[in-house]
Amino acid sequence: MNTGGQMELYGEQKTEHSGLGGGAEPIISIRNLVKIYKTKKVRFRALGGVDLDIWPGEFVAVVGTSGSGKSTLLNLAAGLEKPTAGKIFIREKPIHKMKEDDLVEFRLNHVGFIFQNFNLMDTLTTLENAAFPLMLRGMPPLKREKQAKAVLSGLGLSGHLAHDPDELSGGQQQRVSIARAIITKPEILFADEPTGNLDSETAEQIMEVLREIVRENGTTLLMVTHDMEKARYADRIVHIADGEITRIEERGEWQ
Ligand SMILES: Nc1ncnc2c1ncn2[C@@H]1O[C@H](COP(=O)(O)OP(=O)(O)OP(=O)(O)O)[C@@H](O)[C@H]1O
Ligand SMILES: [Mg+2]
């Protein structure tokens, strides 16, 4: 598959891969993160004090069974939810302290999201969905469409620009959502079960696309999944159970 278009777009901001440490600062730093959900009847500790550093250009997979706290960890790291206690720094910015307005700005300009169910807008075409974050930034239509076309071409979607999401296959829809996630050239991508709704062959192709984005562009990727096969695409695998990290595997330990 040709992913050249999006790589070109990214060229100017390529960052050094730090390896694991090498003196560089972590891009995401999580300290003693606790999340307690309180409902009318129950109080549930979804995260029980998580510490994790993620380095620039690293692909980290968080794996665990259903209910282990994976999505909670991702949502907190991305500033989509507030922690009960603990700290999250992204490039030394304290996400846990940010007000909603600043979080909206942060999400629009610094991170991209990829979800299991694609979350595309069903009234928008492929081109419009991919260009949507640029529209939110106030970029004029012709300019944003040009950029979206380049990214979509890199993801093999040039022939489907005018399709609505329901006229695309699952794999194509996920490519559109990847295009939308990377169009603002974010430093960090967050992905929650990005291949959960795809057949195994399509899922592998999407994993290859994600790994290539990390390798070629120096993007940091935090992905959660219950599937070890998908986790093995990562540089590091963080195992989580009952809201706590139980083990961290480095690439090389499983390949
Ligand atoms: N809004 C909420 N209110 C109450 N409890 C919640 C809420 N969100 C999550 N939980 C609980 O927190 C725990 C962790 O949920 P989380 O969604 O992080 O799991 P997960 O590892 O992503 O699971 P899955 O693989 O099924 O997506 C679960 O037991 C869940 O019931
Ligand atoms: Mg989940």
Side-chain angles (χ1 to χ4, degrees), residues 3 7 23 38 40 76-77 92 117 125 165 177 179 216 241:
T3 50
M7 302 313 163
K38 290 174 194 139
K40 272 180 220 149
L76 291 171
E92 295 171 5
N117 57 5
T125 63
S177 100
E216 298 295 318

Side-chain angles (χ1 to χ4, degrees), residues 76-254:
L76 291 171
L80 291 169
E81 285 185 58
K82 285 276 179 216
T84 307
K87 295 175 178 167
I88 306 137
F89 298 94
I90 293 194
R91 283 236 179 271
E92 295 171 5
K93 272 199 200 124
I95 299 301
H96 55 284
K97 283 193 198 161
M98 272 193 198
K99 298 215 167 60
E100 194 48 40
D101 284 358
D102 295 331
L103 282 172
V104 169
E105 187 279 333
F106 160 77
R107 287 195 293 260
L108 183 59
N109 293 310
H110 300 280
V111 304
F113 293 94
I114 301 159
F115 298 98
Q116 175 171 355
N117 57 5
F118 322 131
N119 282 11
L120 296 173
M121 281 187 247
D122 48 13
T123 57
L124 300 186
T125 63
T126 292
L127 189 61
E128 290 163 346
N129 265 295
F132 193 73
L134 301 179
M135 192 194 81
L136 292 180
R137 286 178 164 194
M139 189 182 282
L142 282 179
K143 194 172 174 200
R144 67 182 188 245
E145 282 176 15
K146 190 174 168 214
Q147 290 194 11
K149 276 181 191 166
V151 175
L152 288 163
S153 155
L155 290 161
L157 285 165
S158 290
H160 296 80
L161 298 181
H163 287 58
D164 286 343
D166 65 1
E167 297 162 350
L168 297 171
S169 70
Q172 287 168 339
Q173 289 183 58
Q174 194 58 303
R175 279 163 209 253
V176 176
S177 100
I178 291 172
R180 181 183 57 186
I182 66 174
I183 196 143
T184 56
K185 305 174 194 168
E187 285 180 284
I188 306 172
L189 284 174
F190 293 102
D192 193 339
E193 300 279 6
T195 62
N197 285 4
L198 304 174
D199 65 75
S200 60
E201 198 184 319
T202 309
E204 274 174 39
Q205 290 169 2
I206 292 293
M207 290 311 305
E208 294 286 352
V209 168
L210 291 175
R211 185 158 67 183
E212 198 170 332
I213 289 168
V214 171
R215 289 224 178 118
E216 298 295 318
N217 306 328
T219 311
T220 306
L221 172 56
L222 179 60
M223 176 185 83
V224 310
T225 177
H226 65 279
D227 183 348
M228 269 309 288
E229 220 177 285
K230 305 302 177 306
R232 289 200 181 92
Y233 283 82
D235 301 315
R236 243 181 342 146
I237 303 178
V238 176
H239 295 262
I240 180 170
D242 294 331
E244 290 180 14
I245 292 177
T246 53
R247 189 157 62 102
I248 298 183
E249 287 177 273
E250 308 274 345
R251 173 172 285 282
E253 289 177 34
W254 68 86

Side-chain angles (χ1 to χ4, degrees), residues 37-39 42 44-47 64-73 75 81 116 192-193 224-226 240:
Y37 287 109
K38 290 174 194 139
T39 59
V42 290
F44 188 85
R45 198 187 62 160
L47 287 183
T65 55
S66 180
S68 55
K70 304 181 298 291
S71 296
T72 305
L73 178 58
N75 291 344
E81 285 185 58
Q116 175 171 355
D192 193 339
E193 300 279 6
V224 310
T225 177
H226 65 279
I240 180 170

